[in-house]
Amino acid sequence: MGTKNSRLQGFYQLSPSERLQMVGAFDGLNEEELLTLQGGNGSLPLERADKMIENVVGTFNLPLGIATNFLINGRDVLVPMVVEEPSIVAGASYAARLVRAGGGFQASSTEPLMIGQVQLVDLASPERAVLAILEHKDELLALANAQSASLSRLGGGARDIETRYFASSPMGPMLIVHLIVDCRDAMGANAINSMCETIAPRLETITGGRAYLRILSNLSDRRLACARAVVPPAALERDGLSGEEVIEGILWAYSFAAVDPYRATTHNKGIMNGIDPVLIATGNDWRAVEAGAHAYASRDGHYTSMSVWERDAAGNLVGTLEIPLAVGIVGGATKVHPTAQAALKLLGVKTANELAEVCVCAGLASNLAAMRALATEGIQRGHMGLHARQIAMAAGATGPLVEQVAHRMVQERNIKPARAEALLSALYGPELEIGAS
C-alpha cells in the first residue's frame, strides 16, 4: 500500500489552490501537471482542439474535482471527476469513507475483449454461409490482425469469430459476424472498425452475400468490471438513526429500482454520476460506456438496477456492481488532452483494466451516496448548499456575498432566483447590479 492515504480530512474546507498542492503531494505531480489540472497552462490549446473535432471555435470548461477516501484493492486512490452537478464529488467521497470502514472496495475485471460486427445480407443459404465462415476462420483472423500489428505485438488482436442469424427484420433476414478482439489498453474502436472493414470483402466472397455495416458494438459484455463494497452498520449511524435502520431504508430503495424501470432509470443515472466524470477526466468515451451499461441492465428482457444490494449474515450492507466498461489509457483523446494525461497520472493506473476498476468503484460509491441520502434525509438536503451557491451566483453575487446569500436561502428553505435577487437588493443595497457577473 505504501504511505499514500486518500483519507484527506478537511479537504473540502481548503481553498482550490491548497487542495491542488495536497493532490500534487499525493502522487508526485509536477508543477506543469498541477497547472494543467487547475485549468491553466493552456490545458487544451485551441490549435490542439482544432485537430480533435470539426468546426472548432473554442473550448469549454467544466469543474474538475477530486473524490477522496477511495481504497481499492488495498490501494489508496484520489479520483479525478469532471462534472457540473453539485453533490456528486462530495457524495462519492463520503460513500468511499463508509466503504473504507468495511475494508475498502474490492474490484476485478475481465479481459479487454470487444466485439466488431459485420452485417451480411442476400445469402442464398445462411447455413452454408456459417459453415464457410468457420472453415475460413483462421484466414479471417490473420487478415484482421494484419491491420493492427502493434496490437498483436502487445498480446492483443482478433481472437475469435462467431455468427448470429436473424431470420427476420424490417428489411429481411441477415447474418451477423462477430469479430472478437482483445484491445489490451486501448478502448479499441478504431482498430476494430478497421478490422471489420478489412474482412468484409472476404466475407462477401466466402458467403456470396453482401456486406453492409462493419462497426464495433458498444455492448461490450465481454469486457466487464465489477466492484464489491461492504459497509458495517456502525458506519451508517446518523441523526438518531441506527445503522440497521439506514440499511433497511437502503435495501427498500434498491428493491424499488430492481422491479420498476421508472425508478431504475434514475437509480442507474446515480451510478453513472460516479462513472461518467472519471471517464471525462481521463478523456474516455463516456457515451459509449453509458450506452453499454444501460443495454446490459436490460439483458434479461427488462430494464433493472445495475447494482445489487443485500445484507450479509453479519448484518453488513453489501453492494456489488458489474457493468461493461470499455476504457483506454492509450490513443484517442486520452493521449491528446493534457488534463487527461495528468488525471491518469494522479490515478496511478497502469492498464485499462485498472482504470475500469476505478470507474466501477466510483459508480458504486455514487449509488451508495444517493441511496443513503434518500433513505435518511432525502436527496434535496445534500444538494441544498451547493445548489444555493449556484443560484446566488446566477443572481449576481460575487466573493463573500455568494456564501452569505446561499446561507440565508438554505436557512429559509427558499432557494429560488427571485429570493436570491431580493436578498442581494435588501441586504447589500440598490447599488449592487443584480445579474452582473
Side-chain angles (χ1 to χ4, degrees):
M1 270 178 63
T3 58
K4 292 179 185 177
N5 190 338
S6 63
R7 178 76 180 96
L8 305 181
Q9 289 183 297
F11 189 69
Y12 73 99
Q13 296 173 317
L14 302 177
S15 69
S17 60
E18 290 171 330
R19 292 184 199 124
L20 191 67
Q21 292 307 311
M22 190 175 284
V23 167
F26 178 83
D27 209 16
L29 271 66
N30 60 39
E31 287 301 317
E32 184 177 352
E33 290 163 334
L34 289 175
L35 192 58
T36 298
L37 280 182
Q38 193 177 37
N41 201 29
S43 299
L44 180 61
L46 192 59
E47 316 82 68
R48 187 170 293 194
D50 190 40
K51 300 297 185 291
M52 293 173 70
I53 64 167
E54 307 78 28
N55 300 342
V56 167
V57 296
T59 59
F60 181 88
N61 289 332
L62 285 171
L64 190 157
I66 303 294
T68 61
N69 303 323
F70 277 83
L71 182 63
I72 301 174
N73 293 338
R75 185 173 76 92
D76 276 88
V77 182
L78 292 181
V79 180
M81 303 179 86
V82 172
V83 66
E84 86 295 340
E85 184 178 332
S87 303
I88 289 176
V89 178
S93 300
Y94 179 75
R97 193 178 88 192
L98 298 179
V99 175
R100 201 179 181 94
F105 294 93
Q106 299 301 312
S108 60
S109 50
T110 63
E111 286 186 292
L113 300 179
M114 299 283 285
I115 296 170
Q117 296 183 298
V118 180
Q119 178 191 33
L120 296 173
V121 303
D122 297 339
L123 296 167
S125 170
E127 293 80 6
R128 282 200 298 272
V130 170
L131 288 174
I133 290 168
L134 296 179
E135 285 171 2
H136 289 82
K137 181 163 77 170
D138 290 344
E139 175 198 345
L140 290 165
L141 291 174
L143 189 60
N145 283 322
Q147 288 301 302
S148 186
S150 59
L151 192 56
S152 297
R153 280 198 305 271
L154 293 169
R159 290 270 189 89
D160 201 2
I161 287 179
E162 300 169 354
T163 60
R164 300 176 70 223
Y165 181 63
F166 295 92
S168 64
S169 80
M171 284 296 290
M174 66 182 80
L175 179 66
I176 309 301
V177 179
H178 278 193
L179 184 65
I180 313 301
V181 182
D182 183 337
C183 297
R184 295 290 88 194
D185 289 324
M187 186 273 185
N190 291 332
I192 293 168
N193 291 342
S194 295
M195 288 178 175
C196 289
E197 291 282 355
T198 299
I199 68 171
R202 184 58 181 147
L203 285 168
E204 288 181 322
T205 302
I206 290 169
T207 64
R210 181 185 304 175
Y212 276 105
L213 270 64
R214 318 113 193 260
I215 190 169
L216 89 158
S217 168
N218 287 128
L219 178 51
S220 50
D221 57 3
R222 313 286 179 96
R223 192 175 189 175
L224 302 172
C226 181
R228 183 176 187 269
V230 178
V231 185
L236 290 162
E237 292 175 3
R238 183 180 172 90
D239 296 338
L241 290 173
S242 70
E244 289 76 10
E245 288 174 305
V246 175
I247 289 173
E248 187 80 5
I250 288 173
L251 293 178
W252 276 113
Y254 157 68
S255 297
F256 187 2
V259 299
D260 178 27
Y262 290 91
R263 173 60 203 146
T265 302
T266 311
H267 175 93
N268 290 341
K269 188 267 183 181
I271 291 172
M272 302 313 294
N273 273 349
I275 294 172
D276 288 344
V278 187
L279 297 173
I280 296 170
T282 57
N284 274 278
D285 188 345
W286 58 271
R287 299 160 309 282
V289 172
E290 279 269 358
H294 291 291
Y296 194 67
S298 305
R299 65 191 181 279
D300 292 329
H302 65 280
Y303 185 77
T304 186
S305 169
M306 295 176 187
S307 60
V308 175
W309 292 90
E310 54 197 345
R311 195 174 0 222
D312 68 12
N316 299 309
L317 178 68
V318 180
T320 55
L321 174 62
E322 178 189 81
I323 60 170
L325 254 164
V327 297
I329 62 170
V330 296
T334 299
K335 269 296 184 190
V336 174
H337 204 303
T339 308
Q341 284 291 289
L344 284 171
K345 182 173 179 181
L346 174 63
L347 282 169
V349 294
K350 306 301 181 191
T351 67
N353 280 52
E354 289 180 6
L355 176 57
E357 289 166 9
V358 171
C359 290
V360 74
C361 291
L364 192 58
S366 185
N367 186 210
L368 172 59
M371 288 200 303
R372 190 213 60 82
L374 286 167
T376 53
E377 73 267 17
I379 203 75
Q380 276 306 105
R381 178 174 164 185
H383 269 297
M384 243 183 242
L386 288 166
H387 180 57
R389 280 184 234 162
Q390 289 186 345
I391 295 294
M393 286 189 289
T398 59
L401 300 188
V402 175
E403 292 296 337
Q404 292 174 41
V405 172
H407 181 67
R408 278 288 296 271
M409 288 193 294
V410 170
Q411 277 187 323
E412 296 172 2
R413 292 185 174 272
N414 185 9
I415 305 172
K416 296 178 181 176
R419 183 54 183 153
E421 291 178 7
L423 283 169
L424 281 169
S425 180
L427 295 175
Y428 307 108
E431 70 277 4
L432 183 71
E433 186 181 346
I434 302 299
S437 57

